[in-house]
Amino acid sequence: MKLWLHHINLSTENVARMDAFYRDVMGLKVPVSDLPKLEKKQGYAGDVAFVSDGDIQVHLARRDVMAGFNTGQIVNPVARGHIAYRTDDLAAFKAHLDSRGIPYSDWGNAAVTSWHQIFFYDPDGNVIEVHEAQE
């Protein structure tokens, strides 16, 4: 099982303003590949902009404090943002968390049709995503 940093998600009330800042001030570009296919009908319909330094993406997502309630999940990744890792074996990673007694919210494909996502908290309450891309 491999695990690597994929993106940082920043939650905002103004996606356009954040997108302009990260492109104009930070010099980031819109990624040309590996963009998520958003699912807007299963609990999170917020706007999202994507920028990247060429290696790591930044997802600028409309803050939605109700997304967890709307999807029936405990962990809400768009209330305060999150850091995301990709894995090549999500089942093995879930077993890894289970063996350590770490609970997680399994969002499946509720937010991104082409990724199976889980979310959990680190010891200080920061939200962590781990996802596996699905073809």
Side-chain angles (χ1 to χ4, degrees):
M1 169 187 68
K2 291 183 186 177
L3 192 69
W4 60 95
L5 183 62
H6 183 267
H7 69 268
I8 298 167
N9 176 288
L10 301 175
S11 294
T12 179
E13 296 298 327
N14 190 325
V15 172
R17 180 185 65 205
M18 290 286 277
D19 186 38
F21 175 85
Y22 279 91
R23 288 210 237 173
D24 299 343
V25 176
M26 300 305 295
L28 301 182
K29 306 291 184 207
V30 175
V32 295
S33 63
D34 194 29
L35 290 171
K37 296 176 185 110
L38 300 178
E39 167 54 64
K40 298 271 191 165
K41 296 179 180 140
Q42 294 189 44
Y44 178 69
D47 292 332
V48 183
F50 304 97
V51 293
S52 176
D53 65 0
D55 292 314
I56 305 300
Q57 294 180 10
V58 179
H59 296 181
L60 307 166
R62 174 92 175 154
R63 179 173 289 119
D64 183 352
V65 297
M66 297 303 292
F69 292 105
N70 293 340
T71 58
Q73 299 291 340
I74 292 172
V75 180
N76 181 349
V78 290
R80 296 182 328 160
H82 60 273
I83 187 166
Y85 294 88
R86 178 168 284 177
T87 184
D88 60 350
D89 190 346
L90 187 59
F93 190 80
K94 287 171 28 175
H96 172 72
L97 291 176
D98 290 339
S99 73
R100 285 158 177 73
I102 299 173
Y104 53 87
S105 288
D106 190 334
W107 280 56
N109 304 105
V112 178
T113 61
S114 56
W115 297 353
H116 187 145
Q117 299 171 290
I118 64 170
F119 297 92
F120 55 97
Y121 295 108
D122 72 11
D124 279 342
N126 300 297
V127 176
I128 307 293
E129 169 189 333
V130 174
H131 71 264
E132 183 175 355
Q134 301 169 322
E135 299 302 319

